[in-house]
Amino acid sequence: RKEVEQDPGPFNVPEGATVAFNCTYSNSASQSFFWYRQDCRKEPKLLMSVYSSGNEDGRFTAQLNRASQYISLLIRDSKLSDSATYLCVVNSPGGYNKLIFGAGTRLAVHP
Amino acid sequence: NAGVTQTPKFQVLKTGQSMTLQCAQDMNHEYMSWYRQDPGMGLRLIHYSVGAGITDQGEVPNGYNVSRSTTEDFPLRLLSAAPSQTSVYFCASTPRAAGLADTQYFGPGTRLTVL
């Protein structure tokens, strides 16, 4: 089983739609969770951290469910510019700042 | 402030050749790392460094060497290139070496093809 698993997609949605991605992780001791965004042939960039209480940044909402070991990302009112691959990232406990990346979920927003 | 820079952007090698991928950051970050990204597999950690003079292996270190003689630079050496090393390589840095993970700042990547 992979340490971090994501549905690869693609998710094809129209502009204005709400879309949700889930990600599961295997190590119950993980404490840091992130969503990164990666545009085609570009480097990953931090979208948002995921906190235990859930957090929101504009149209983006991230939630963490420790009991079930999954995190989610909700995007409301999708824009064309949201088209990208979204990477779920979880820290590897016990080491120096090691991060485990999911393979990513691809989102395509169409007019 | 250039952030994280990588050179070259593209490279084609023949099997058995060696080369060094360069990575530099000007943010005085303690932690630097190298990842490779292959289709459908996400980013995998090759080597990392928590400070000058200190390096350690990640998930997929075989065939690669690193050194960290300065805070700024973290080169990745391919000893004898193999087709399995065809990939996109990303260098990343983070302000702190220990504790909870901070934001990782990535370089633009090096696209390597080994024939």
Side-chain angles (χ1 to χ4, degrees), chain A:
Chain A
R1 181 188 173 189
K2 290 182 181 178
E3 290 189 69
V4 177
E5 294 203 67
Q6 297 182 248
D7 181 341
F11 285 64
N12 293 300
V13 303
E15 277 185 290
T18 295
V19 62
F21 308 137
N22 286 333
C23 162
T24 58
Y25 61 95
S26 61
N27 194 327
S28 60
S30 294
Q31 296 187 18
S32 299
F33 310 91
F34 308 88
W35 284 102
Y36 276 71
R37 171 192 168 130
Q38 186 174 25
D39 294 303
C40 186
R41 302 180 72 79
K42 298 285 190 180
E43 71 272 24
K45 292 183 179 178
L46 180 67
L47 177 67
M48 59 196 304
S49 301
V50 186
Y51 303 122
S52 297
S53 56
N55 49 299
E56 188 174 304
D57 183 3
R59 298 181 293 108
F60 299 84
T61 300
Q63 297 213 312
L64 168 64
N65 185 317
R66 286 189 185 273
S68 300
Q69 294 180 211
Y70 79 80
I71 66 176
S72 64
L73 177 68
L74 182 77
I75 305 175
R76 292 181 298 277
D77 189 23
S78 298
K79 312 291 184 189
L80 295 176
S81 58
D82 293 333
S83 297
T85 297
Y86 291 84
L87 307 176
C88 173
V89 185
V90 176
N91 82 303
S92 176
Y96 281 102
N97 211 358
K98 292 184 192 177
L99 296 179
I100 307 298
F101 285 76
T105 297
R106 194 154 61 90
L107 172 65
V109 182
H110 57 83

